[in-house]
Amino acid sequence: MFYRLSGVHHANYVSDSRIFKVPADRNLTAFIFLIGLAAPFIIPSLYLNSYMLPWLIWTAAALGLNLVTGWAGQLHLGYAAVMAVGAYSSIHAARFGVPWEFALIIGGLTSSVIGSLFAFAALRVKGLYLALTTLAMQFVMDWVLTHSPAISGGSHASLQSPTLALLGQEITTDTGFYYVAFGWCVLVTIFMLNLKRTGLGRALVAVREKDFAAAILGVNSFYYKILAFATSSFIAGVSGALLVATFFFLAAPEQFSVAVSIQVLAMVIVGGLGSIIGSYFGVALILLVPGIVNGLVVTLSDGLGTQIDVETLAHIPNAVYGALIVIILLIEPLGLGKLYGNIRDYLMVWPFDQFKK
Amino acid sequence: MKKLTKALAVLSMFGGAMFGTQALAEPFKIGICYDLSKAYTFATPQVSQAAMDLAKLINMKGGIGGEPVEVIVRDHGNEPQRGIECYSKLSREGVFVFDTLSTPVSLAILPRAMEDGRILMQSLVGRGDAVDGTVFDWVYPIGPTYWGQAANDVAYIKQLNDGDLSDVKVGFVYFDYPFGQEPIEILETLSEKEGFELELYPVPLPGSDQAGVWSKVRRDKPDHVIVWMLGGAHVVASKEMKRNRIPMDKYISVNWLNEVDIANIGKEAAKGIKRGTNVVGGQDIALYQEIMAELYDKGEGSGPIEKTQDVFYNTGLAMYSIMFEAARKAAEAEGLPITPTSYKAGLESLEGYDANGLMAPITVTAEDHGGGGKTRIEMWDGETWVPQTDWISEYTDVVWGVVKESSAKYEQ
């Protein structure tokens, strides 16, 4: 219905490897892009500033993790640590006087170097062992951060970020911050959309499915794994830096703790491994739903005039949120992205699929 | 497609109109963004219950300047992102006084509060150098900072040793992350100044494994151990001390040691344990009795009565007595409605205020946002807490030296 297939023919490779094979997908994406552009004018500043902005930045970060975990199939439990490397190196660079454009790139590159250096060591092992080694990386980073005042910014371990300025323009308004986050998220999304149809993307998928089979086909699996780690670390680094520059305004170790690493992994898994739109949904669920459910529960109990004590009130949303994750993964183990895919596939041939049965 | 686009555009515009306009509300409100579900739950329920009880009591007596007061309690799960959400949401609803009782969240809100000109109360948490009012205009860590408290602990040890610390050995057992590491700088400075030997014993989080730490303490034989840990970690520590035959009276805890911890250690077993404290413990307090008579006896308390028999409930009463007193002063001086500026002036006009008898008198000024920060040392005698010192505030010059050095870094 919405996703009309009639008249869509792929007669050659170029047409078959288009990003949007169905016009409806392209239109929908364009529509959402426009909404994103217009968001500062249609969405109240509270929602723009405390929901949309972190959502977009975390989506960019989750897409980076999806690259290494979803595409290349390497479990990564130290992703927040890589984000921290990027955040701290960018901020230090910016405080040193480097323009923000370069500071962000420096942050990305440092993350990339440290992330892939670590991958060199970690990639000698696979599966759960790799997960544990990456977790170790997280703990090493945590320790380094809390024990080096030179990096973390003194006894309170909080490092003030200088005012963000891009292209000679100081950014201080909510709208400005939003557009920075939006721009970065769009960039990463375009990169990921294109990754699917390049040789690199196919090589990563080959490595994920069976790395020695890939090696027999001439895909150097170790090289591609390192490449995946380096690329995803770059995305992580810049996302971490932007998170601090546009949202937190100061960097503290708690913002990149092991709990955060697990949260990002949860975003990717709930969203769907290897799914781009799934990353958007996954981040929304993991990051925003607790706050929203919290607000709803409070409004509900106020509205009903019930006297629930604050502690219970705080735990109900957690229970609801936990149940939500379980239910979603029970309905569709491949995540929210697949859930959307199912709906899309259903509508694609509707109502003609009814005849088959 | 076009129709859908139009419909959605109209819908979103309508939504914008609905959410966009919110007028400033009438009553004086305090935004309590607390961690009620994760790491700080050992104290937040008691403190927020105290805040709600106090607000009820004030409203029964006619509010502040004839207007009712309101406390809004929200959970942020100790996540900076949700703390910011709570702050942004409430500040759009007209709240301009916030308390987080969580160091990570307080740090996350601080740049925004400074930018927006909203009052960030951060008694007992957050960055200690925020007492420097010349740098942190909008941040009020009223009461002692961890730095001041650590210095007072050293002053207490000095009292015990007749003013000579030259051959005394002090151990410092701490959680190995910013909360625990904070006092190290002060202790090192004082160790140089007073000539006592300082031994550091970091405890990895979450503090459930302290076997190595305490056997090291046994070998080093420090005369006193200052402890910067929370909740259950005290219980683990006391077990390890028993195992290593270290007497309990060497233990001087940070103020985060309450009746629940004592019960978990065992009332008898905990005999001799000491803590620094910033509020008067126990129930023998006029304000507490009044709350009991007016609220709990009539079944109108904000929670279970057991939670009020806890030192953190008293801590909450003290913190919020100060906040409401400042509001009262603001209303008195500049009338209603109270604004951020008049409230700030109200805070800075607090002079010798003892938080309804719960604290040593504090005097807040534009320069000193801590208000003096006195603590005293108490010892558990198996039944109750026995004060070991007066309310003291020692080595203020050393503490302020570190404060100034640290706050200068923020300004950069």
Side-chain angles (χ1 to χ4, degrees):
Chain A
M1 187 179 57
F2 293 119
Y3 304 91
R4 202 157 39 86
L5 280 175
S6 82
V8 180
H9 304 290
H10 298 295
N12 51 38
Y13 275 124
V14 179
S15 145
D16 192 42
S17 61
R18 284 222 294 259
I19 296 185
F20 303 111
K21 295 197 182 80
V22 183
D25 279 342
R26 189 191 55 219
N27 295 343
L28 198 65
T29 314
F31 176 65
I32 291 171
F33 178 79
L34 285 180
I35 292 223
L37 267 187
F41 308 102
I42 52 177
I43 293 176
S45 68
L46 166 68
Y47 297 91
L48 188 75
N49 168 285
S50 21
Y51 293 100
M52 291 289 281
L53 179 110
W55 179 45
L56 288 176
I57 298 180
W58 280 108
T59 303
L63 282 171
L65 181 62
N66 216 337
L67 172 69
V68 81
T69 304
W71 262 272
Q74 310 300 311
L75 258 182
H76 196 339
L77 279 172
Y79 198 67
V82 187
M83 291 177 72
V85 172
Y88 277 99
S89 32
S90 303
I91 292 169
H92 276 293
R95 282 170 75 98
F96 189 69
V98 179
W100 265 105
E101 296 84 0
F102 295 107
L104 289 176
I105 293 173
I106 289 173
L109 289 178
T110 332
S111 291
S112 193
V113 168
I114 292 185
S116 39
L117 264 185
F118 192 82
F120 257 105
L123 284 178
R124 303 174 74 91
V125 292
K126 283 183 200 165
L128 282 178
Y129 298 94
L130 177 67
L132 275 184
T133 2
T134 45
L135 189 63
M137 175 196 191
Q138 174 74 46
F139 284 117
V140 170
M141 279 299 156
D142 279 358
W143 194 89
V144 169
L145 276 183
T146 46
H147 285 82
S148 37
I151 299 177
S152 69
S155 59
H156 295 288
S158 70
L159 186 70
Q160 192 78 1
S161 151
T163 313
L164 183 66
L166 290 173
L167 307 172
Q169 205 70 38
E170 285 223 334
I171 297 166
T172 46
T173 58
D174 282 353
T175 315
F177 290 136
Y178 170 78
Y179 279 126
V180 172
F182 181 68
W184 172 242
C185 188
V186 167
L187 260 181
V188 175
T189 309
I190 292 176
F191 172 76
M192 295 298 285
L193 280 172
N194 279 294
L195 185 71
K196 267 188 178 172
R197 48 186 205 142
T198 57
L200 170 64
R202 284 189 292 272
L204 291 180
V205 172
V207 169
R208 172 186 72 196
E209 295 303 328
K210 201 55 112 189
D211 52 359
F212 48 84
I216 293 169
L217 292 173
V219 176
N220 184 344
S221 66
F222 191 73
Y223 167 77
Y224 279 107
K225 282 181 190 172
I226 294 280
L227 200 63
F229 266 94
T231 319
S232 101
S233 301
F234 184 86
I235 297 174
V238 178
S239 305
L242 283 178
L243 190 66
V244 173
T246 63
F247 186 66
F248 285 131
F249 306 127
L250 57 73
E254 291 92 354
Q255 291 159 1
F256 304 104
S257 67
V258 61
V260 178
S261 270
I262 291 166
Q263 262 190 338
V264 197
L265 194 65
M267 288 169 185
V268 170
I269 289 173
V270 173
L273 289 168
S275 161
I276 292 171
I277 189 146
S279 295
Y280 280 83
F281 292 146
V283 174
L285 186 78
I286 302 286
L287 189 74
L288 305 181
V289 165
I292 294 172
V293 174
N294 202 345
L296 280 181
V297 169
V298 169
T299 331
L300 208 68
S301 83
D302 282 354
L304 295 175
T306 45
Q307 270 278 354
I308 310 176
D309 89 294
V310 284
E311 218 181 339
T312 322
L313 215 54
H315 282 93
I316 294 172
N318 282 351
V320 173
Y321 163 67
L324 213 56
I325 293 180
V326 173
I327 292 169
I328 285 170
L329 289 181
L330 275 180
I331 295 174
E332 184 50 75
L334 293 176
L336 288 163
K338 181 72 174 126
L339 214 54
Y340 167 77
N342 291 346
I343 296 168
R344 176 178 172 277
D345 289 349
Y346 176 80
L347 290 176
M348 217 170 218
V349 285
W350 188 88
F352 298 111
D353 65 324
Q354 308 299 331
F355 294 128
K356 275 185 288 179
K357 285 164 198 159
Chain B
M1 195 72 224
K2 253 188 185 165
K3 257 187 193 167
L4 189 74
T5 321
K6 258 189 192 163
L8 272 171
V10 169
L11 203 74
S12 44
M13 267 157 70
F14 186 65
M18 257 179 45
F19 294 116
T21 48
Q22 257 154 0
L24 278 177
E26 284 304 309
F28 172 70
K29 296 175 182 173
I30 297 180
I32 304 184
C33 300
Y34 277 2
D35 167 14
L36 292 158
S37 54
K38 302 263 168 66
Y40 286 82
T41 45
F42 64 93
T44 45
Q46 295 93 306
V47 175
S48 50
Q49 189 171 330
M52 289 186 289
D53 285 342
L54 196 60
K56 272 186 195 167
L57 189 72
I58 288 174
N59 286 340
M60 283 169 91
K61 290 178 174 174
I64 289 172
E67 286 291 335
V69 295
E70 195 182 339
V71 291
I72 306 173
V73 185
R74 293 283 181 275
D75 173 47
H76 60 54
N78 204 24
E79 286 171 32
Q81 196 261 329
R82 283 182 59 192
I84 290 177
E85 179 193 320
C86 179
Y87 165 84
S88 314
K89 197 167 190 163
L90 293 183
S91 60
R92 279 173 179 77
E93 287 169 14
V95 180
F96 54 83
V97 182
F98 289 91
D99 187 41
T100 65
L101 209 70
S102 146
T103 298
V105 174
S106 180
L107 284 177
I109 291 181
L110 190 135
R112 284 169 199 261
M114 293 278 286
E115 179 78 25
D116 304 344
R118 316 228 174 234
I119 312 280
L120 177 61
M121 303 299 297
Q122 52 159 31
S123 298
L124 310 172
V125 294
R127 40 192 310 155
D129 58 353
V131 292
D132 185 356
T134 55
V135 175
F136 296 92
D137 303 325
W138 298 96
V139 188
Y140 288 84
I142 290 179
T145 60
Y146 288 136
W147 290 341
Q149 200 182 134
N152 292 348
D153 289 350
V154 173
Y156 164 65
I157 295 171
K158 192 175 172 183
Q159 268 181 29
L160 287 184
N161 288 285
D162 298 326
D164 180 23
L165 284 174
S166 52
D167 49 345
V168 175
K169 202 178 202 178
V170 177
F172 182 58
V173 178
Y174 61 99
F175 272 163
D176 199 11
Y177 81 114
F179 155 74
Q181 291 162 346
E182 227 183 294
I184 294 178
E185 205 174 340
I186 288 282
L187 290 174
E188 276 173 349
T189 318
L190 287 177
S191 142
E192 252 172 57
K193 189 180 156 120
E194 296 283 357
F196 64 87
E197 202 178 323
L198 179 69
E199 295 279 349
L200 299 179
Y201 306 99
V203 175
L205 283 178
S208 45
D209 180 15
Q210 301 178 22
V213 169
W214 291 100
S215 57
K216 212 163 150 240
V217 171
R218 185 190 59 198
R219 275 200 300 279
D220 293 346
K221 297 195 182 66
D223 300 289
H224 298 275
V225 188
I226 299 177
V227 181
W228 238 248
M229 296 194 292
L230 311 164
H234 290 303
V235 184
V236 179
S238 71
K239 274 189 196 134
E240 293 297 336
M241 283 172 78
K242 282 272 177 309
R243 215 166 51 191
N244 287 295
R245 309 238 163 97
I246 303 169
M248 264 325 224
D249 59 2
K250 286 193 174 184
Y251 197 92
I252 306 174
S253 165
V254 66
N255 62 291
W256 297 118
L257 171 73
N258 70 345
E259 282 67 14
V260 176
D261 298 326
I262 292 291
N264 287 342
I265 295 171
K267 280 189 172 180
E268 271 306 303
K271 217 178 214 177
I273 207 166
K274 290 167 190 164
R275 74 171 175 207
T277 184
N278 43 341
V279 294
V280 178
Q283 282 73 51
D284 195 16
I285 297 151
L287 178 64
Y288 182 88
Q289 303 294 352
E290 197 179 348
I291 288 177
M292 283 301 123
E294 296 289 332
L295 297 174
Y296 285 84
D297 291 352
K298 294 175 187 163
E300 283 180 20
S302 312
I305 194 161
E306 295 78 43
K307 285 219 176 90
T308 67
Q309 287 146 7
D310 187 311
V311 68
F312 297 154
Y313 183 82
N314 294 15
T315 309
L317 284 183
M319 282 161 58
Y320 287 90
S321 294
I322 294 169
M323 289 186 217
F324 288 125
E325 175 69 11
R328 206 182 54 74
K329 288 218 161 200
E332 231 173 57
E334 296 179 38
L336 294 169
I338 302 166
T339 64
T341 333
S342 76
Y343 187 76
K344 186 170 151 62
L347 276 170
E348 284 167 9
S349 64
L350 290 175
E351 209 178 321
Y353 180 64
D354 69 351
N356 292 318
L358 279 153
M359 262 185 159
I362 50 156
T363 300
V364 183
T365 64
E367 287 78 40
D368 178 6
H369 282 189
K374 290 187 176 164
T375 64
R376 74 176 176 200
I377 311 289
E378 298 176 334
M379 191 174 80
W380 179 257
D381 71 350
E383 283 301 317
T384 180
W385 290 97
V386 183
Q388 303 290 301
T389 60
D390 285 335
W391 293 103
I392 50 173
S393 169
E394 299 287 331
Y395 300 115
T396 43
D397 48 334
V398 178
V399 174
W400 272 95
V402 178
V403 164
K404 285 283 177 197
E405 192 186 314
S406 175
S407 64
K409 274 189 205 148
Y410 177 85
E411 274 197 316
Q412 276 168 15

